[in-house]
Amino acid sequence: LYKAIQSAPSGNNRQPYRFIFVKDAAKRREIAEKACHQEFISEAPVLMVATCEKGRAFDVAIAVDHMILAATDAGLGTCWIGWFERDVMRKILDIPEDKEIPIMVTIGYADEKPPVKERKPISELIHVI
């Protein structure tokens, strides 16, 4: 997963992000209780917290997407989390004020395998001229 993040493209190859992988169970519980109020976060063995320079969340999204594709390829389950209290998260993980915290992702082995969701036909999504 780390290599997928490192390999992701970014504007001018600036790589304006840093990723915190929270493996400590007590720290994940604290995040779930104080910053997210979403218990499933503490159940995942790893929580990835993405930080970046202000205004560079698009670069983070590209890197996170690369990481998620690599995780899926490795048989892992992931979940994007965008709803959380960023100021509380900043204090818990000692993230500087000059950094944004755009997204978190839980990483682990899924307890279930939901059926594949129906997707729109390609013809509705892509137009070639």
Side-chain angles (χ1 to χ4, degrees), residues 58-125:
F58 184 75
D59 288 317
V60 168
I62 295 169
V64 169
D65 196 47
H66 277 60
M67 183 201 73
I68 285 175
L69 289 171
T72 301
D73 192 49
L76 297 168
T78 60
C79 181
W80 286 73
I81 304 164
W83 180 83
F84 57 94
E85 297 171 53
R86 280 149 176 88
D87 289 338
V88 176
M89 179 67 73
R90 186 178 307 286
K91 289 176 186 165
I92 293 171
L93 295 177
D94 196 29
I95 298 169
E97 286 292 325
D98 66 335
K99 302 297 181 205
E100 287 184 36
I101 313 168
I103 199 80
M104 300 188 307
V105 177
T106 55
I107 305 167
Y109 291 99
D111 288 341
E112 57 187 51
K113 186 171 178 157
V116 175
K117 294 179 181 178
E118 188 174 325
R119 309 299 292 178
K120 291 182 179 180
I122 294 285
S123 61
E124 286 186 35
L125 302 173

Side-chain angles (χ1 to χ4, degrees), residues 2 9 13 40 49 57-58 98 104:
Y2 302 156
N13 196 33
F40 76 95
V49 179
F58 184 75
D98 66 335
M104 300 188 307

Side-chain angles (χ1 to χ4, degrees), residues 43-61:
E43 296 169 6
V46 178
L47 175 66
M48 184 282 300
V49 179
T51 70
C52 66
E53 295 172 5
K54 292 192 183 233
R56 301 304 300 246
F58 184 75
D59 288 317
V60 168

